[in-house]
Amino acid sequence: MKKIVSVAVAATLACGMLFANGSKDAGSTAGAAKEKKVTLVYAEVNPLDTIVGRTGSHFKEQVEALTNGSVIIDIQASGVLGSENDVLDSILAGGTSIDISRISAFALTSYGAKKSMLLSIPFTFESRKHFWNFANSNLAPEFLNEPQTLGLPIRGIFYGEEGFRHFFTRSPITGMSSLKGMKLRVSNDPVMNGMVQGLGASPTVVSFGELYSALQAGVVDGAEQPIANYKSNAFNEVAPYFILDGHTLGAIQVVISDNAWNKLSDSQRAAIMEAGKRTQAFNAQISEEQENKVLDQLRASGVHVIDVTNKGEWADACKKVIADNTASQADLYNKIKALK
């Protein structure tokens, strides 16, 4: 009889435990199911097969995996949502159609981001290693958080890079002196304007979306881009002379609007930031390899790639724009330079 009672008690306890565990699991599932689902629109001006395009795709994968699909990243690539400045103007004006954007570091200089401006100063970073020393240093968060300190309704998530930027032209060039008198496309940025003027050329503002047609029609004689973007945007078709001056590293960052941030739960925000860390590491892993591969393809396709053996003369030509734009933040700029 005792044995029968013991078995009955054990069975009852087992059922109770199963019920309790089942209730707990059901509650967890219900809690996960209650996590609000959010779709965030991500703007990218370049195609998805570029370094920055692949970086955006990796970020999307990481966010969706870390949030169990409660946050969906809708990437709108190839500039369908407008230029970087168009996108930033929309976000900063309170627009809600774009939530996240991949931007060049210098894009924020037009909105008062003085620290970010230092990342676009010509010949600041001597190598990729130098940049990554910065991006993984204690200085980087200070730069990422600058928009918040300025009262701008965006915040930085992570850094990346798309390789050094180089000039390309419609007509043959042999060196820096060939650029004198040329109309070179720039974005509406004081650093880029000053750099082009220092090289003896004429800075001409053209939106990125109109650059191909501007080159084709001769509105501008040349422009500058990282290697992968030059190819993916088919600029080699209309400007097949590419000089490897490497004046600026194409530092990028991904930012999210406050409007989008406020839609997210604490766990979703944490997932976004963790996805950013993982994507920053991914970008560091693929950038140089991808760039070298594309450069080989360009050479093989007939693009005239001009090597630069003496970058010192290029840096000397940019001394004024470097001095003018670092004087007020000399200590901070020197900290970046020291990370080489």
Side-chain angles (χ1 to χ4, degrees):
M1 181 67 178
K2 287 182 179 179
K3 185 175 182 180
I4 294 173
V5 171
S6 297
V7 170
V9 170
T12 301
L13 288 172
C15 289
M17 290 175 67
L18 286 170
F19 179 79
N21 289 337
S23 298
K24 183 178 180 180
D25 290 344
S28 298
T29 303
K34 288 179 182 177
E35 186 79 280
K36 56 186 177 183
K37 292 187 181 294
V38 181
T39 296
L40 302 178
V41 175
Y42 180 117
E44 171 56 60
V45 297
N46 286 293
L48 289 177
D49 63 348
T50 58
I51 293 169
V52 287
R54 290 180 62 189
T55 298
S57 295
H58 189 82
F59 180 68
K60 168 184 170 69
E61 292 169 5
Q62 293 299 309
V63 169
E64 293 176 2
L66 289 168
T67 63
N68 293 317
S70 70
V71 178
I72 301 297
I73 305 296
D74 176 17
I75 300 180
Q76 296 293 314
S78 299
V80 296
L81 297 178
S83 68
E84 289 182 8
N85 285 339
D86 291 336
V87 169
L88 280 174
D89 284 345
S90 174
I91 293 174
L92 297 177
T96 58
S97 60
I98 303 170
D99 303 296
I100 299 175
S101 181
R102 193 284 305 166
I103 61 172
S104 302
F106 66 75
L108 288 171
T109 63
S110 299
Y111 306 90
K114 294 182 179 179
K115 291 178 183 176
S116 293
M117 179 179 63
L118 297 179
L119 304 182
S120 65
I121 300 297
F123 302 101
T124 292
F125 295 109
E126 297 183 11
S127 64
R128 272 191 163 91
K129 182 177 182 294
H130 186 181
F131 170 75
W132 285 112
N133 286 346
F134 159 77
N136 294 313
S137 73
N138 293 331
L139 278 179
E142 180 181 339
F143 281 68
L144 281 175
N145 293 332
E146 184 179 22
Q148 289 288 295
T149 65
L150 294 173
L152 300 175
I154 57 173
R155 64 190 66 218
I157 303 175
F158 67 91
Y159 274 120
E161 50 94 353
E162 51 186 344
F164 281 93
R165 301 176 74 93
H166 312 278
F167 285 102
F168 53 92
T169 60
R170 299 172 69 241
S171 57
I173 54 176
T174 57
M176 188 181 75
S177 61
S178 300
L179 299 178
K180 292 188 184 301
M182 283 191 176
K183 293 177 292 182
L184 299 180
R185 179 264 176 182
V186 296
S187 60
N188 191 17
D189 174 72
V191 174
M192 288 188 69
N193 276 268
M195 176 181 65
V196 168
Q197 289 172 343
L199 296 173
S202 175
T204 306
V205 177
V206 173
S207 70
F208 188 77
E210 297 174 352
L211 179 53
Y212 184 98
S213 59
L215 287 163
Q216 189 175 43
V219 174
V220 292
D221 301 308
E224 51 88 60
Q225 280 289 297
I227 292 170
N229 296 355
Y230 168 73
K231 181 178 183 295
S232 287
N233 289 283
F235 295 136
N236 55 300
E237 295 176 354
V238 289
Y241 299 91
F242 195 84
I243 186 163
L244 299 174
D245 62 288
H247 50 272
T248 308
L249 184 74
I252 65 166
Q253 62 175 293
V254 170
V255 297
I256 183 170
S257 71
D258 282 356
N259 179 66
W261 188 253
N262 292 335
K263 295 178 185 177
L264 305 172
S265 67
D266 288 343
S267 63
Q268 289 171 330
R269 290 175 180 176
I272 289 279
M273 299 310 291
E274 175 60 26
K277 290 179 182 178
R278 297 184 184 186
T279 305
Q280 180 166 304
F282 172 80
N283 175 270
Q285 177 186 340
I286 69 164
S287 184
E288 185 170 9
E289 178 185 340
Q290 179 71 11
E291 183 180 67
N292 290 337
K293 179 180 177 181
V294 171
L295 186 58
D296 288 341
Q297 293 171 349
L298 289 169
R299 291 183 192 272
S301 70
V303 169
H304 303 274
V305 179
I306 301 97
D307 292 310
V308 174
T309 56
N310 178 20
K311 292 189 179 181
E313 64 172 345
W314 294 74
D316 287 344
C318 296
K319 276 185 176 179
K320 185 178 187 305
V321 70
I322 294 171
D324 289 348
N325 289 281
T326 61
S328 64
Q329 302 181 89
D331 289 344
L332 187 57
Y333 186 65
N334 289 333
K335 287 180 181 179
I336 298 173
K337 293 288 285 183
L339 290 169
K340 63 182 181 180

